[in-house]
Amino acid sequence: MSGEASTPGASPRAPRPGTQKSSGSVTKKGDRGAKEKPVLVLPPVGEEEPKNPEEYQCTGVLETDFAELCTRSGYTDFPKVVTRPRPHPAFVPSASMSEKPAQDDQRLSASCSLNSLESKYVFFRPTIQVELEPEDKWVKEIYIRGWRVEERILGIFSKCLPPLSQLQAINLWKVGLTDKTLSTFIALLPLCAPTLRKVSLEGNPLPEQSYHKLMAADSPIAHLSLRNNNIDDHGAQLLGQALSTLRSCNRTLVSLNLAFNHIGDAGAGYIADGLRLNRALLWLSLAHNRIQDQGALKLAEVLRPFELTHTEVVERRRLLLEKGTQERSRSPSSSRPGDSKTDREKNLLLQVNSAALAEKTDKTQTTKTPKGLSKKKEKSGGESVRKEEKSGSGQSPTQGTPKKEDPTKSGKGKVTIPEQKTSKGKGPKTGNKEKRSFLLESEHLGQSLAYSWSPKHLVAEATETVSPLLEPVEHHNGKVFVPGNKVLLHLNLLRNRITEVGLEGFLATVQYQAQFSKSKSPSKGPVGLLRLSLAKNCFSPRCPAYATIQELMLPRAPVTKAKPREEETT
């Protein structure tokens, strides 16, 4: 009966000619279905143009470009580009956020606002959130949260992100990155605008922990956040090597966030090794890790004068000889006219590399002229280090201690004065002045470039900075000590496993840096940590060492420094 009842209802539509041509033997109800099928299958139009994304010219509007490239690539359902929502001071009904709000939803949103069930669904829907410039409405930051970013999506980003001339940051939170897609993402960064300096990859654990590739020498990233990525000691080792090694150093990264990972004592030691020769990183967070006393002591050690290893001493000697040859090739033509004199001076400077008498005569000359006593003592001290590097390239640094005391023993060096004057002949003063000139440039003027106080100068002048191994050194008990890392301004070790033993190491560091800052004005270079977070560790907040650290760090904090300055101006 059901079939008979359906035929009368369909009989008025039967005489249509189009249905009879389509199928004569099929029922009339089937004809209607056959007529509707082509309309539903027509979307192969999206499959006709999957080979044409390269022909599309991006307009610089991310919403339009991303949608068009996804359509050309064969995507039918893809995330939309929306403006990142901002919290409002007052509760706003969720009806403004939804397209078709119901009356019950309006009643619920009036009380719950952004916490309503509907707004939660909207929040977790896959989108590309963008933050715009307030005036020009250019895309400034991109936020992608909670949906998988595949290789094809990164290929689309490689075409629609470069036209964004004001892009400053990319934030990827739990997007399912792999080591392969990370390499694709890193290759995309140089294509973007030079204003892109911040990258955040949080909640993306990788099996090979290849995050160090983001800190390559040619990387434009200045601010990098790697929170909650399950980075262990092996990953910390790769990151520490990316910060600095004996022959290479990252000169662009300013801040590094490694909080909420699995870094232990060994990993903290690798990070400390990376800070030995790095003079660009200003901000470091190791909060919520597994660092104990041994790792804390290694971090505290590099922030005050530390001993150079044998390989570092050998590398220091090599750098001094290399810098000396460069300065000798420049100084004769600019300091003294005349070909005969310059040739003679070049020969004399070449002999100075292997001769030890020149340093002794310079030291004795400092005792004879009381007017420039202080300046020449500094020069003679630099030349004594120079002599150590030249005379014993393959020997231990223990030779530096007696030679540093030679300026006080001026009586021994007076015997060599007439011999040195007769050997130099017409140009004794020229050779000494030129040698002192390039030593001063390498020891003092180079440090002013390396210790540019502004973070912008640190990044911009990074290519011109000298190696930390060329910093003025001190000799104690046959060991060579460098001043340590005073560029790092912020260190966060919140919620680790540090006890009072590790706390003593940071107390010694803070005491040294506080004493050092009193003798040096901030305009002349960095003075060390301005903020040190050690709370929520395995020691009592009333511990005497912790209380002393808090007292020493209080006047160094930027907030407390600004108040006395305001009082002075008023």
Side-chain angles (χ1 to χ4, degrees), residues 151 188 203 239 263 269 410 477:
E151 194 85 15
L188 136 74
L239 293 173
I263 300 175
S410 58
N477 300 326

Side-chain angles (χ1 to χ4, degrees), residues 213-516:
K213 296 180 181 178
L214 294 162
M215 301 163 54
D218 56 346
S219 175
I221 301 175
H223 307 277
L224 179 61
S225 179
L226 299 174
R227 297 192 310 170
N228 198 19
N229 286 329
N230 298 338
I231 300 175
D232 55 10
D233 293 340
H234 174 65
Q237 181 181 11
L238 298 176
L239 293 173
Q241 293 173 356
L243 284 175
S244 73
T245 59
L246 199 61
R247 297 293 181 89
S248 64
C249 179
N250 183 285
R251 303 181 186 275
T252 57
L253 192 65
V254 176
S255 67
L256 178 61
N257 194 340
L258 298 176
F260 296 93
N261 284 290
H262 302 159
I263 300 175
D265 283 342
Y270 294 131
I271 299 295
D273 292 339
L275 294 175
R276 289 174 70 93
L277 303 180
N278 183 286
R279 296 298 181 267
L281 192 66
L282 304 177
W283 194 96
L284 174 64
S285 176
L286 292 169
H288 294 267
N289 278 277
R290 303 171 181 178
I291 301 173
Q292 300 181 14
D293 292 331
Q294 186 178 359
L297 291 175
K298 290 181 180 179
L299 289 170
E301 180 184 357
V302 299
L303 303 179
R304 60 177 186 267
F306 59 86
E307 176 189 356
L308 292 180
T309 62
H310 176 71
T311 55
E312 290 172 343
V313 171
V314 174
E315 178 66 14
R316 171 182 163 82
R317 291 169 179 169
R318 187 191 68 81
L319 292 175
L320 285 172
L321 291 174
E322 183 180 351
K323 180 170 283 291
T325 55
Q326 293 177 359
E327 294 295 335
R328 285 195 298 271
S329 63
R330 299 174 184 176
S331 58
S333 59
S334 59
S335 59
R336 289 286 186 273
D339 296 335
S340 60
K341 288 186 178 181
T342 55
D343 293 336
R344 196 177 298 131
E345 291 161 4
K346 286 181 181 179
N347 296 330
L348 289 173
L349 289 173
L350 289 174
Q351 296 174 359
V352 167
N353 291 331
S354 58
L357 295 176
E359 282 80 359
K360 293 183 180 180
T361 54
D362 293 335
K363 294 171 186 176
T364 53
Q365 288 176 4
T366 58
T367 58
K368 284 187 175 184
T369 56
K371 292 183 179 179
L373 183 61
S374 59
K375 294 182 179 179
K376 292 191 176 181
K377 276 186 179 181
E378 296 178 358
K379 298 176 183 178
S380 62
E383 291 167 358
S384 63
V385 177
R386 176 76 176 172
K387 176 185 173 183
E388 174 204 347
E389 312 300 333
K390 295 172 185 174
S391 59
S393 59
Q395 300 176 2
S396 63
T398 55
Q399 299 174 355
T401 47
K403 292 175 184 176
K404 196 174 183 75
E405 297 173 356
D406 283 345
T408 59
K409 301 176 182 180
S410 58
K412 293 182 180 180
K414 290 182 180 179
V415 182
T416 60
I417 294 176
E419 297 178 0
Q420 188 65 19
K421 286 184 178 179
T422 53
S423 63
K424 287 190 176 181
K426 295 182 180 180
K429 296 181 180 179
T430 307
N432 291 334
K433 287 182 180 179
E434 290 175 356
K435 185 180 177 184
R436 292 193 191 103
S437 65
F438 80 79
L439 283 174
L440 282 174
E441 291 177 1
S442 62
E443 297 288 343
H444 299 284
L445 298 180
Q447 295 305 318
S448 63
L449 290 175
Y451 287 155
S452 299
W453 181 237
S454 173
K456 294 182 180 179
H457 292 294
L458 272 172
V459 178
E461 299 178 2
T463 56
E464 301 178 359
T465 56
V466 297
S467 172
L469 293 175
L470 296 179
E471 296 177 359
V473 299
E474 297 179 359
H475 300 269
H476 299 290
N477 300 326
K479 300 177 182 179
V480 185
F481 289 82
V482 293
N485 190 330
K486 297 187 183 66
V487 177
L488 188 67
L489 306 180
H490 177 100
L491 179 60
N492 188 356
L493 291 170
L494 188 75
R495 289 190 181 275
N496 279 274
R497 303 173 184 177
I498 304 172
T499 66
E500 296 181 5
V501 177
L503 204 61
E504 293 293 335
F506 282 106
L507 176 59
T509 297
V510 173
Q511 288 176 344
Y512 165 76
Q513 291 187 354
Q515 184 179 3
F516 176 81

Side-chain angles (χ1 to χ4, degrees), residues 45 83 164 179 189-190 217 277 307 388 424 431 475 536:
V45 175
T83 305
L164 304 179
D179 292 284
L189 294 179
L277 303 180
E307 176 189 356
E388 174 204 347
K424 287 190 176 181
H475 300 269
K536 307 297 181 180

Side-chain angles (χ1 to χ4, degrees), residues 60-61 83 130-140 166:
V61 181
T83 305
V130 296
E131 187 172 341
L132 306 177
E133 290 283 353
E135 298 179 357
D136 301 331
K137 300 301 180 181
W138 294 103
V139 176
K140 182 173 65 173
Q166 302 298 324

Side-chain angles (χ1 to χ4, degrees), residues 55 117 170 174 287 445:
E55 300 177 0
L117 186 63
I170 298 177
K174 291 188 177 182
L445 298 180

